Amino acid sequence: MSGPLHKDYAGAKLGMWLFLFTELLLFGGLFLLYAAYLARYPREFGTAGGQMHLGFGTLNTVILITSSLLVAMAVTAIQRNARRMVLWLLGGTVLCAAVFLFNKYLEWSDEIGKGIYPNSPKLVAAPPGESVFFSLYYLTVGLHGLHVLIGGTLLTLVAVRVQRGTIHAGDYVLLENGALYWHLVDLVWIFIFPLYYLIL
Amino acid sequence: MIPVENVPPAGDGGFWNDTGKTGITAWIFSTDHKRIGLLYFYSVLTFFLIAVVLGVLLRIELMAPGRTIMGPQTYNAVFTVHGVVMVFLFIIPGFQGSFGNLVMPIQIGARDVAFPRLNLFSWWLYIAGAAVIITSLFTGGGPPDTGWTFYVPFSERTGTNVSLAVFGVFIVGFSSIVTGLNFVTTIHRLRAEGMTWGRLPLFVWSLYATAWVQILATPILGITLALIIAERFLGTGLFDPARGGDPLMYQHLFWIYSHPAVYIMILPGMGVISEIIPAFARKPIFGYKMIAFSSLAIAAAGSLVWGHHMFTSGMSDTAILVFSFLTFVVAIPSAIKVFNWVSTLYRGSISLEAPMLFALAFILLFSIGGLTGLILGAAATDIHVHDTQFVVGHFHYVIFGGAVFAFFGAMHYWLPKFYGRRYAEKPAVVAWVLMFVGFNITYFTMMVLGMKGMPRRYYDYLPEFAPLNLVSTIGSWILVSGLILMLVNLFRGLFKGEPIDRNPWGAATLEWTIPTPPPTENFEEEPVVTHGPYDFKGAGIP
Ligand code: HEM
Ligand SMILES: [Cu+2]
């Protein structure tokens, strides 16, 4: 074994950025489908988009932006070695993640209750483009929700390490990378929100 | 020649005897890039051999018209599994995983890759994905029968175990991404002092370009495969015309990954050739900058040509024109490489040893594969030969005649360095002749059959195609006998052969300056690089 290699900060962050690119491209495939199908079914996308809950969407956008702010503050706080502060801020971020998912649960329950879900009898009978819109909506938002879950878990693990003192002012690249990941989750939502809730 | 210093028994010396761990755990939990490289090497080699057996079975079935050894459904499953294993379990992870890991860190003067534990993780992901794919063959509705392309709508409707197989490929794709970002970071951060970008060995340049393709293209494959699973389980209807979806969108997404993926397969092979040729022509490589640049150019331009797989699928004429044009454009950087290799050979003092023979075979076979690719890239001609045996012949020329022959060359060139012993030269040459001859008989004949109109992916054919099919099948036996001879000779040599010194070939890159086999930390002291990778004078090699 090569023993503990000396830590390469720039390397660790470069690796993380590359990973974030791959995540963006993963969503990129779905956005590509969105673009192609929007061009084909502008009217159906319009009617379908009109049925979305703007309230839930807006609320969740505010929650995610706030959480991004909190995690960014956590990174500044760790540089000053304010451990308790970091823990509070990370706790706030994870709480936001949980509330976001809870809202999503309410929103989906309502939509499913109205018979809007992939392959539902209602959508099968609807004009073709509407079914495509909602399928894409469920897949994109579902994949994003999965990322919220992963990000929340990741930040919880980071918080445990801050608590234990293995992440501190002298070595916080893990927190920084966790925060980067969380910003990605936020960023993707910033595209989802207008595409599905606003512009149609 | 310098006298052989100390002659350790095979599998001993250097990195072979480090660590407190023993037995299998010293390997499967090791973070040493050389051990991971060998893990990858033996894993991909195993899958290669399994898929070769399947390929030979396909050829035996096609030996005579009608049912020979298997029925249509079995044939469908066998060519699917042959393709999936060759592509996703052998050649895509193969080069980066095995020779990339073994050689790249040493060539740039590093002790290891940037993220050694992530490196091990990528091998585990690969094994997990492979296990899922194997499970899919024996459970549920049986092995997938869609072809390696998993085209909708068939992949959504078939009762075979497509979902599990696709999930396995998804995991292997994740492993590929992890390797890619590890290599990009390594090459940026861990180059030794004096190892400027202009002194990077061309193999490293090719790995660098490949790693970028892995990072940028593989996520698209991931989402595409995930969509197949969603379509099958949730009925999302995104590719179903009855619900407003479009099967063509699947083809776009699939090829947005899978055309760049052919560069994941071939670029490292080109890198190997760029190492072997100067070493055995005893001449600095001709056009270093152009070769390095063309790797990047191939990676970049290659991401814009996927549509050439869809000329007959119903795209607009404009799209066909654009994709056709761009396909011709990507041929340019490949041709640049070929011309530079040939110019390097010109007036070199060439020694025709096994690695060099494989390199020369690469140049010829890859050129044939590349030029027949242009026949497919021009829409007017593609329409006639699309989905025929011509296509099968063409891509075997590129992947097998190109990438896999380069892989064999790399095995003869680098493995002795890591074992401290080498194979016997004569049998290696005989094996090479058998493979080269067998290869051309097998696949050139298939191209001719395709020109005559024999479609691909059929277990049966019209009687008029019988004679040529028999020839092709006999060719595949010659090919495989050469392959067996090569492997027996190579491995007997690695374990029992003549011991070798640091630099048996007289090459000028860094891996030949350290002891054989390399020590665990590669370099006794941090190297300082003072000359280019093909500067034989600077390296003091006569
Ligand atoms: C002795 C070696 C090999 C033999 C005899 C062989 C034979 C064949 C044959 C006969 C087919 C066409 C089946 C058909 O369309 O009816 C085929 C398809 C294919 N082969 Fe090979 N092959 C060999 C090696 C390889 C290698 C080294 C690779 C790649 C690394 C490869 C990749 C593929 C792929 C991707 C397909 C397409 C499968 C599909 O249609 O979905 N083969 N092979
Ligand atoms: Cu292509």
Side-chain angles (χ1 to χ4, degrees):
Chain A
M1 278 257 304
S2 18
L5 292 162
H6 72 102
K7 263 212 156 150
D8 176 9
Y9 260 65
K13 269 168 61 184
L14 177 61
M16 190 65 194
W17 275 105
L18 292 174
F19 178 67
L20 296 182
F21 279 145
T22 71
E23 290 276 25
L24 279 182
L25 285 160
L26 189 73
F27 283 96
L30 291 171
F31 287 134
L32 203 61
L33 285 182
Y34 179 96
Y37 286 129
L38 174 63
R40 190 169 308 178
Y41 304 112
R43 213 151 12 88
E44 291 80 354
F45 266 49
T47 1
Q51 300 171 45
M52 302 284 295
H53 290 293
L54 188 55
F56 275 123
T58 316
L59 185 62
N60 268 346
T61 308
V62 173
I63 290 173
L64 270 194
I65 292 180
T66 313
S67 71
S68 243
L69 174 68
L70 294 181
V71 85
M73 286 163 71
V75 176
T76 346
I78 194 91
Q79 289 164 349
R80 289 185 281 107
N81 227 352
R83 183 132 62 96
R84 288 188 62 83
M85 190 62 181
V86 175
L87 286 175
W88 277 112
L89 289 166
L90 285 180
T93 314
V94 174
L95 184 70
C96 284
V99 175
F100 177 91
L101 288 176
F102 183 67
N103 281 343
K104 212 71 252 169
Y105 164 76
L106 293 180
E107 186 183 358
W108 277 19
S109 310
D110 179 66
E111 279 157 352
I112 291 170
K114 287 187 192 145
I116 298 177
Y117 55 90
N119 217 14
S120 71
K122 180 170 168 188
L123 285 186
V124 171
E130 290 188 24
S131 142
V132 167
F133 176 88
F134 282 111
S135 285
L136 273 177
Y137 160 69
Y138 274 102
L139 287 173
T140 315
V141 169
L143 188 64
H144 178 260
L146 189 67
H147 280 76
V148 173
L149 199 64
I150 295 171
T153 317
L154 196 69
L155 290 178
T156 313
L157 293 178
V158 167
V160 171
R161 287 190 164 219
V162 172
Q163 165 80 22
R164 288 213 197 112
T166 43
I167 297 178
H168 49 79
D171 176 6
Y172 56 89
V173 75
L174 223 54
L175 171 58
E176 219 175 343
N177 279 346
L180 278 177
Y181 188 86
W182 192 255
H183 292 318
L184 169 94
V185 171
D186 190 17
L187 177 77
V188 171
W189 180 260
I190 295 302
F191 282 90
I192 292 178
F193 178 56
L195 288 180
Y196 285 92
Y197 293 84
L198 286 184
I199 62 169
L200 296 169
Chain B
M1 254 194 108
I2 329 148
V4 172
E5 309 135 43
N6 56 337
V7 184
D12 197 9
F15 74 102
W16 290 90
N17 38 5
D18 51 12
T19 73
K21 286 186 226 139
T22 49
I24 185 112
T25 49
W27 288 87
I28 61 173
F29 297 124
S30 169
T31 52
D32 178 359
H33 68 95
K34 299 178 283 303
R35 290 188 176 232
I36 296 174
L38 286 176
L39 279 180
Y40 256 118
F41 173 71
Y42 283 105
S43 323
V44 298
L45 190 69
T46 308
F47 284 111
F48 169 66
L49 294 176
I50 293 172
V52 163
V53 172
L54 296 176
V56 171
L57 291 178
L58 292 172
R59 274 311 334 161
I60 292 178
E61 169 54 39
L62 294 177
M63 193 163 69
R67 184 192 165 107
T68 314
I69 54 166
M70 58 180 105
Q73 182 59 29
T74 315
Y75 189 84
N76 293 348
V78 173
F79 74 66
T80 303
V81 178
H82 168 77
V84 168
V85 172
M86 280 295 188
V87 170
F88 295 113
L89 296 183
F90 168 52
I91 199 72
I92 288 185
F95 260 116
Q96 303 273 72
S98 52
F99 292 105
N101 264 319
L102 279 171
V103 180
M104 184 270 283
I106 312 183
Q107 280 196 330
I108 64 171
R111 288 177 198 281
D112 209 316
V113 292
F115 310 114
R117 276 185 301 171
L118 216 53
N119 203 14
L120 179 64
F121 179 59
S122 91
W123 180 77
W124 275 103
L125 276 177
Y126 164 78
I127 290 296
V132 171
I133 293 175
I134 292 171
T135 311
S136 79
L137 308 183
F138 301 107
T139 53
D145 57 350
T146 56
W148 79 281
T149 45
F150 301 114
Y151 266 19
V152 298
F154 185 63
S155 61
E156 292 180 4
R157 306 235 170 102
T158 173
T160 55
N161 215 349
V162 170
S163 305
L164 204 58
V166 156
F167 182 58
V169 175
F170 181 91
I171 300 174
V172 174
F174 193 32
S175 148
S176 180
I177 289 180
V178 171
T179 305
L181 64 87
N182 204 346
F183 278 22
V184 168
T185 312
T186 305
I187 295 169
H188 272 279
R189 302 292 308 165
L190 298 187
R191 280 170 292 125
E193 198 187 327
M195 178 56 79
T196 54
W197 288 94
R199 286 185 185 155
L200 223 48
L202 288 166
F203 181 56
V204 178
W205 266 112
S206 74
L207 293 177
Y208 181 71
T210 311
W212 273 109
V213 180
Q214 284 176 297
I215 293 170
L216 296 177
T218 317
I220 306 289
L221 176 74
I223 194 68
T224 311
L225 298 177
L227 283 173
I228 294 186
I229 299 177
E231 291 276 291
R232 282 175 74 91
F233 283 118
L234 305 176
T236 40
L238 285 176
F239 304 128
D240 178 1
R243 311 263 301 283
D246 185 347
L248 217 58
M249 290 310 297
Y250 172 84
Q251 295 188 16
H252 277 297
L253 286 176
F254 181 81
W255 289 112
I256 287 177
Y257 166 76
S258 292
H259 186 84
V262 310
Y263 299 118
I264 302 178
M265 307 177 202
I266 195 72
L267 274 171
M270 294 171 153
V272 172
I273 304 307
S274 308
E275 296 296 315
I276 292 178
I277 289 196
F280 290 85
R282 250 328 166 281
K283 249 184 80 191
I285 192 116
F286 185 87
Y288 171 91
K289 282 197 183 135
M290 284 314 278
I291 295 184
F293 161 78
S294 63
S295 288
L296 298 178
I298 288 177
S303 57
L304 299 172
V305 302
W306 74 87
H308 60 214
H309 297 270
M310 301 164 58
F311 289 156
T312 61
S313 305
M315 281 191 308
S316 75
D317 287 349
T318 322
I320 290 179
L321 201 71
V322 169
F323 280 122
S324 192
F325 172 74
L326 289 172
T327 303
F328 276 72
V329 170
V330 229
I332 296 172
S334 303
I336 289 180
K337 284 190 198 273
V338 171
F339 290 131
N340 279 312
W341 292 324
V342 175
S343 311
T344 308
L345 291 172
Y346 180 63
R347 308 191 72 173
S349 63
I350 296 170
S351 68
L352 284 178
E353 294 177 66
M356 184 61 155
L357 291 175
F358 281 107
L360 294 179
F362 175 101
I363 297 182
L364 182 70
L365 300 179
F366 174 75
S367 299
I368 296 177
L371 292 172
T372 49
L374 291 179
I375 296 177
L376 299 164
T381 38
D382 175 68
I383 302 213
H384 298 280
V385 286
H386 181 83
D387 254 342
T388 65
Q389 294 287 350
F390 182 81
V391 176
V392 181
H394 149 73
F395 68 69
H396 281 87
Y397 264 89
V398 178
I399 317 181
F400 195 168
V404 181
F405 268 63
F407 195 80
F408 294 161
M411 280 159 68
H412 288 82
Y413 184 64
W414 275 314
L415 284 182
K417 177 77 195 176
F418 291 89
Y419 280 83
R421 285 162 189 274
R422 61 163 298 175
Y423 51 86
E425 182 65 21
K426 272 227 183 75
V429 174
V430 176
W432 174 82
V433 172
L434 284 174
M435 284 199 290
F436 183 76
V437 172
F439 178 91
N440 282 297
I441 297 178
T442 311
Y443 297 110
F444 203 83
T445 317
M446 284 167 84
M447 288 203 286
V448 175
L449 280 165
M451 278 290 179
K452 287 172 178 285
M454 178 174 163
R456 71 189 276 206
R457 292 176 171 169
Y458 278 72
Y459 89 118
D460 192 8
Y461 47 82
L462 298 174
E464 70 224 48
F465 297 133
L468 284 177
N469 268 302
L470 183 61
V471 170
S472 172
T473 302
I474 293 173
S476 74
W477 297 339
I478 302 175
L479 172 58
V480 168
S481 56
L483 178 65
I484 295 170
L485 176 59
M486 179 192 85
L487 291 175
V488 170
N489 178 50
L490 185 75
F491 286 108
R492 176 135 41 95
L494 293 180
F495 289 103
K496 298 218 183 82
E498 225 181 286
I500 57 155
D501 212 329
R502 282 176 190 232
N503 193 357
W505 316 123
T509 38
L510 277 185
E511 75 271 31
W512 308 105
T513 63
I514 61 174
T516 297
T520 306
E521 303 259 289
N522 297 344
F523 298 91
E524 282 126 9
E525 51 200 281
E526 301 251 331
V528 177
V529 183
T530 52
H531 59 82
Y534 312 106
D535 178 358
F536 295 94
K537 274 207 201 88
I541 294 161

